[in-house]
């Protein structure tokens, strides 16, 4: 018998790359099963196709791919009734890494019509070697359809392989993996079923797991829902599939199912969830839409949607996308770029249509609005499409409002869209920043999401109206009359402004009177350039602050406290310490902290006790 065993050295390219394939090509060892199942499905399709044109060949008996774990022998066998391989094919396709059985076979289909082509999956010559990640020896017994003899290819993955006559009653291939000690988990039927459901659930060939002495257990559904016509799918089927791919329990808010034809053809079945996921989308930054090629799951890391649409779940399946050395590492191809662009555009179109129903859209916005806003920062090319989707709370209307609705309600002579950002939603409605605007009936959009400090500057304008933070620069409201506009006698504050500015030198950039306050004595603003107050706070917390001198202290000349201080200054009183207290009050009102909380507390306590505050 030993005389019939032929020993061969791997091709030079295998000797260089086999170690890389085993240890570095794949990030997850379980990928080996996907690769071997893909090869088996490929061989089954090839035999079915060959039988159409060669009367001497018959199609596979049942077309099943069998996975047989044997814990006693510590082997895992993957069996198919596909086209099989002759001796020279085993040596050529398993002995070199540059050739691919699938790729070579595909060349013979150049003249075949698209409808007659089988679903050829993967590149056999590379994926096969992933078996050595879990096996210290691999044996392949194969019989070519139409041939009488069988051959056994065997290797321990260390530079050589052997070929010897084998025994197989029918055409097809058996791949036997002698598992490593640290890979015995892949002999557990439940583990195998989980891997198949994850990676190959929707390939058409039925996959069964057949543990010795037990009945066959279905490994995959074999039904690619997204490939079926929409008319044949009911809501229950869509919901069930959504819950499977999204690992969710709710019903989808939106279902998008379409087939794209043209330069790049693909089928997509996508879902917008009906509720926030348990794992916050703010933490996970990448889209996890699953990419399939000819029904075979390839990866959920293809970036098919931008990060600001990462809440969308589902599947995109194409036959046009090329792969490089493994299914895990996609080439950056024009086809993939076209798919990304088309899928993103379709999701945006769906959101635009659904936004016409304000009540229904509010459900979506409350769940995922903050994530969508990120697109204004990250996706400059689509800002004009994203902006109409935005919704906001407002100082004058109940519920959510859009930028377009805001513009339609703007006052005569108003040429800016006003907004206020605060870290806490409740602080917005009570903020002294809004007092003067509310008194004159001028609407202010109230923003409190984490991304709101960043996108307004990126968007800049909407409908030729500039977006303007009401904390940035001096805003003249005198041109807007209102039923409850500020009334009362204003104090002459010129001397008080000069005194406060001198006392706060180095801590504020300016002190000025303002007409945008009603009930409050003071308020902070930023200069007419640079970041607004909320952005300044964020930068300070990140250790990149512009310094306190960026702030402007505005005083209300009609407020009783300011009138009293003006009188006390005129009487010769030194207001240096009071100036610091006014600044701290303004900071607290805006959700910030006093410059020196301990000193501020002592001054307040002393004032309440009616005594002079101790020196700092």
């Amino acid at each position: 018998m030993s005389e019939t065993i032929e020993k061969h050295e791997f091709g030079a390219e295998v000797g260089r790359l086999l170690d890389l394939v085993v240890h570095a090509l794949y990030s997850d060892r379980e990928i080996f099963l996907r690769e071997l199942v893909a090869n088996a499905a490929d061989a089954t399709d090839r035999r079915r196709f060959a039988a159409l044109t060669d009367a001497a060949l018959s199609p596979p008996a049942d077309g099943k791919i069998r996975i047989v774990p044997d814990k006693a022998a510590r082997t895992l066998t993957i069996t198919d009734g596909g086209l099989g391989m002759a001796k020279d094919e085993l040596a050529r396709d398993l002995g070199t890494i540059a050739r691919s059985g699938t790729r070579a076979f595909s060349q013979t289909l150049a003249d075949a019509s698209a409808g007659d082509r089988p679903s050829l999956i993967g590149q056999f010559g590379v994926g096969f070697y992933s078996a050595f990640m879990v096996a210290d020896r691999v044996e392949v017994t194969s019989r070519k359809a139409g041939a009488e003899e069988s051959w056994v290819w065997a290797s321990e993955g260390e530079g050589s392989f052997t070929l010897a006559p084998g025994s197989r009653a029918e055409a097809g291939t058996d791949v036997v993996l002698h598992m490593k000690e640290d890979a015995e988990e892949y002999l557990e039927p439940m583990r195998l079923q989980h891997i198949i459901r994850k990676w190959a659930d929707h390939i058409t060939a039925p996959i069964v797991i057949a543990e010795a002495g037990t009945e066959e257990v279905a490994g995959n559904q074999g039904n690619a829902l997204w490939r079926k016509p929409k008319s044949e799918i009911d809501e229950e089927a869509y919901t069930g599939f959504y819950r499977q791919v999204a690992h969710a329990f709710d019903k989808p808010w939106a279902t998008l199912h379409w087939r794209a034809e043209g330069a790049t053809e693909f089928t997509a079945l996508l879902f917008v969830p009906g509720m926030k996921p348990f794992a916050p989308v703010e933490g996970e930054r990448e889209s996890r839409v699953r990419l399939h090629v000819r029904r075979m799951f390839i990866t959920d890391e293809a970036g098919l949607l931008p990060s600001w649409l990462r809440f969308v779940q589902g599947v995109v399946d194409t036959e046009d996308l090329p792969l490089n050395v493994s299914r895990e590492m996609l080439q950056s191809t024009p086809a993939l770029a076209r798919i990304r662009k088309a899928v993103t555009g379709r999701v945006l179109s769906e959101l635009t249509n659904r936004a016409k129903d304000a009540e229904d859209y509010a459900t979506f916005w409350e769940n995922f609005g903050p994530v969508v806003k990120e697109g204004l920062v990250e996706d400059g090319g689509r800002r004009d499409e994203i902006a109409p989707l935005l919704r906001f709370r407002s100082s004058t209307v109940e519920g959510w409002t859009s930028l377009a609705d805001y513009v339609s309600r703007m006052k005569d002579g108003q040429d800016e869209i006003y907004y206020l950002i605060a870290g806490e939603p409740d602080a917005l409605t009570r903020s002294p920043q809004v007092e003067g605007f509310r008194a004159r009936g001028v609407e202010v959009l109230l923003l409190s999401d984490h991304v709101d400090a960043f996108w307004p500057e990126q968007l800049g304008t909407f409908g030729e109206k500039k977006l303007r933070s009401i904390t940035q620069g001096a805003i003249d409201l005198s041109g807007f009359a209102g039923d409850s506009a500020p009334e009362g006698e204003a104090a002459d504050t010129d001397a008080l402004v000069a005194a406060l500015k001198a006392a706060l030198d180095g801590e504020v950039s300016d002190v000025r009177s303002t007409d945008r306050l009603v009930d409050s004595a003071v308020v902070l603003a930023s200069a007419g350039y640079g970041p607004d107050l909320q952005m300044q706070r964020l930068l300070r917390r990140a250790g990149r602050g512009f310094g306190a001198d960026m702030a402007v202290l505005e005083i209300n000349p009609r407020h009783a406290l300011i009138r009293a201080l003006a009188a006390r200054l005129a009487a010769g009183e030194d207001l240096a310490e009071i100036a610091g207290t006014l600044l701290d009050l303004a900071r607290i009102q805006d959700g910030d902290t006093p410059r020196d909380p301990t000193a501020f507390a002592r001054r307040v306590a002393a004032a309440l006790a009616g005594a002079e505050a101790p020196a700092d």
Side-chain angles (χ1 to χ4, degrees):
M1 179 67 178
S2 60
E3 296 177 356
T4 63
I5 298 177
E6 302 175 8
K7 184 174 182 179
H8 301 262
E9 297 296 320
F10 278 124
E13 64 276 14
V14 176
R16 290 192 302 267
L17 296 178
L18 183 56
D19 185 69
L20 175 64
V21 170
V22 172
H23 296 103
L25 185 60
Y26 298 99
S27 60
D28 194 333
R29 297 174 84 193
E30 69 183 31
I31 296 296
F32 85 92
L33 190 58
R34 180 189 70 181
E35 296 292 340
L36 297 181
V37 167
N39 294 337
D42 181 0
T44 302
D45 279 340
R46 284 194 285 163
R47 179 173 175 182
R48 187 177 291 112
F49 178 77
L52 295 176
T53 57
D54 188 344
L57 300 179
S58 60
D62 60 12
K64 289 183 178 180
I65 299 170
R66 289 178 170 81
I67 301 174
V68 184
D70 187 334
K71 296 178 183 177
R74 212 164 73 194
T75 61
L76 182 68
T77 304
I78 295 90
T79 297
D80 67 73
L83 190 62
M85 290 175 283
K87 176 184 178 182
D88 60 334
E89 291 173 313
L90 285 167
R92 181 187 64 206
D93 294 334
L94 302 189
T96 62
I97 207 166
R99 293 188 59 86
S100 164
T102 296
R103 185 183 300 168
F105 179 75
S106 297
Q107 294 175 1
T108 68
L109 304 180
D111 298 326
S113 65
D116 291 336
R117 294 177 182 175
S119 299
L120 303 178
I121 304 173
Q123 296 177 332
F124 187 88
V126 173
F128 169 78
Y129 289 101
S130 64
F132 288 103
M133 291 191 297
V134 296
D136 49 26
R137 178 176 173 82
V138 178
E139 298 168 357
V140 180
T141 301
S142 192
R143 177 175 173 176
K144 182 84 170 184
E148 296 296 329
E149 69 277 2
S150 302
W151 290 90
V152 179
W153 179 100
S155 176
E156 296 178 357
E158 295 181 350
S160 65
F161 63 91
T162 61
L163 284 171
S167 176
R168 201 177 196 279
E170 298 178 353
T173 301
D174 300 326
V175 180
V176 181
L177 281 62
H178 295 264
M179 306 300 285
K180 297 177 180 178
E181 291 185 2
D182 65 349
E184 292 185 354
E185 64 178 288
Y186 301 111
L187 297 176
E188 295 292 339
M190 291 294 291
R191 180 77 169 99
L192 296 171
Q193 189 175 43
H194 172 78
I195 297 171
I196 293 301
R197 286 290 174 88
K198 176 181 178 181
W199 295 102
D201 199 28
H202 301 286
I203 66 171
T204 53
I207 304 170
V208 297
I209 300 170
E211 190 176 14
T214 64
E215 295 183 1
E216 292 181 348
V217 176
N220 69 327
Q221 294 181 347
N223 179 18
L225 186 71
W226 58 87
R227 294 260 184 160
K228 298 175 67 175
K230 290 193 289 185
S231 60
E232 298 179 8
I233 309 174
D234 58 20
E235 182 180 354
E236 183 178 357
Y238 276 132
T239 299
F241 183 73
Y242 158 71
R243 289 174 175 173
Q244 176 187 343
V245 298
H247 305 290
F249 302 95
D250 61 313
K251 291 185 177 181
W253 177 76
T255 299
L256 295 77
H257 187 188
W258 80 99
R259 177 171 176 77
E261 298 180 344
T264 301
E265 296 186 357
F266 64 90
T267 300
L269 177 53
L270 303 178
F271 304 94
V272 177
M275 61 181 291
K276 290 182 180 179
F278 292 114
V281 290
E282 289 82 359
E284 173 58 67
R285 290 283 303 157
E286 301 300 325
S287 166
R288 292 298 179 183
V289 170
R290 296 161 60 95
L291 175 65
H292 288 238
V293 174
R294 302 176 184 91
R295 298 181 178 88
M296 176 66 68
F297 174 53
I298 303 302
T299 182
D300 62 359
E301 298 179 355
L304 294 174
L305 284 171
S307 63
W308 52 274
L309 290 175
R310 57 186 176 273
F311 50 85
V312 177
Q313 304 287 336
V315 170
V316 171
D317 187 2
T318 182
E319 300 194 13
D320 295 339
L321 192 65
L323 306 173
N324 65 5
V325 293
S326 86
R327 292 181 179 85
E328 235 179 2
M329 293 184 287
L330 296 172
Q331 291 176 341
S332 179
T333 67
L336 184 59
R338 287 192 293 268
I339 290 174
R340 288 171 174 152
K341 181 179 179 180
V343 172
T344 301
R346 184 59 180 266
V347 173
L348 277 174
S349 177
E350 178 71 12
L351 294 179
T352 300
N353 289 332
R354 296 289 295 267
K356 297 173 183 177
D357 184 335
E359 184 176 351
D360 178 50
Y361 188 70
T363 299
F364 161 78
W365 188 256
E366 289 169 3
N367 288 332
F368 303 110
V371 184
V372 173
K373 289 179 185 177
E374 295 175 13
L376 297 169
V377 180
E378 300 172 357
D379 199 340
R382 292 192 180 272
R383 284 181 189 135
D384 290 343
E385 298 175 79
I386 299 171
L389 299 174
L390 306 181
R391 296 295 183 268
F392 307 93
R393 299 297 185 186
S394 162
S395 64
T396 61
V397 299
E398 295 292 329
W400 295 100
T401 188
S402 66
L403 288 171
D405 290 338
Y406 178 101
V407 171
S408 71
R409 295 189 294 266
M410 287 174 64
K411 291 273 193 177
D412 292 340
Q414 181 181 348
D415 57 4
E416 294 178 314
I417 298 172
Y418 297 120
Y419 66 89
L420 172 64
I421 306 172
E424 296 295 333
D426 292 342
L428 288 165
T429 56
R430 303 190 303 270
S431 174
Q433 303 280 4
V434 184
E435 290 177 6
F437 293 86
R438 183 181 285 113
R440 293 170 173 83
V442 178
E443 186 173 1
V444 178
L445 299 178
L446 307 177
L447 285 59
S448 61
D449 292 325
H450 64 283
V451 70
D452 288 331
F454 303 94
W455 67 261
E457 183 178 352
Q458 301 294 326
L459 182 60
T461 61
F462 179 84
E464 298 183 354
K465 303 294 185 181
K466 181 181 178 181
L467 276 72
R468 172 80 177 272
S469 169
I470 64 173
T471 69
Q472 190 168 33
I475 298 178
D476 184 8
L477 297 178
S478 61
F480 303 110
D483 296 338
S484 58
E487 297 179 354
E489 182 180 353
D492 182 357
T493 58
D494 289 347
L496 179 60
V497 165
L500 294 177
K501 188 172 182 179
L504 297 174
D505 183 37
E507 297 195 70
V508 297
S509 61
D510 197 8
V511 178
R512 62 188 176 217
S513 293
T514 183
D515 63 353
R516 66 189 183 99
L517 292 174
V518 178
D519 300 317
S520 300
V522 292
V523 73
L524 284 177
S526 65
Y529 55 89
D532 71 355
L533 291 182
Q534 180 67 4
M535 178 60 80
Q536 288 184 41
R537 294 188 197 101
L538 293 176
L539 291 171
R540 285 201 304 271
R541 292 167 189 168
R544 299 170 58 188
F546 282 76
D549 61 341
M550 291 294 293
V552 175
L553 180 65
E554 296 186 343
I555 62 174
N556 179 4
R558 293 179 175 84
H559 195 277
L561 174 60
I562 300 303
R563 293 201 306 267
L565 291 178
R568 291 165 65 177
L569 178 66
E573 186 174 341
D574 183 2
L575 300 181
E577 187 170 319
I578 291 177
T581 302
L582 287 177
L583 176 57
D584 285 338
L585 286 174
R587 289 169 64 92
I588 292 171
Q589 287 177 158
D590 266 357
D592 210 342
T593 58
R595 300 158 300 156
D596 184 342
T598 302
F600 176 77
R602 286 203 303 266
R603 290 198 302 271
V604 171
L608 291 175
E612 183 178 349
D616 290 343

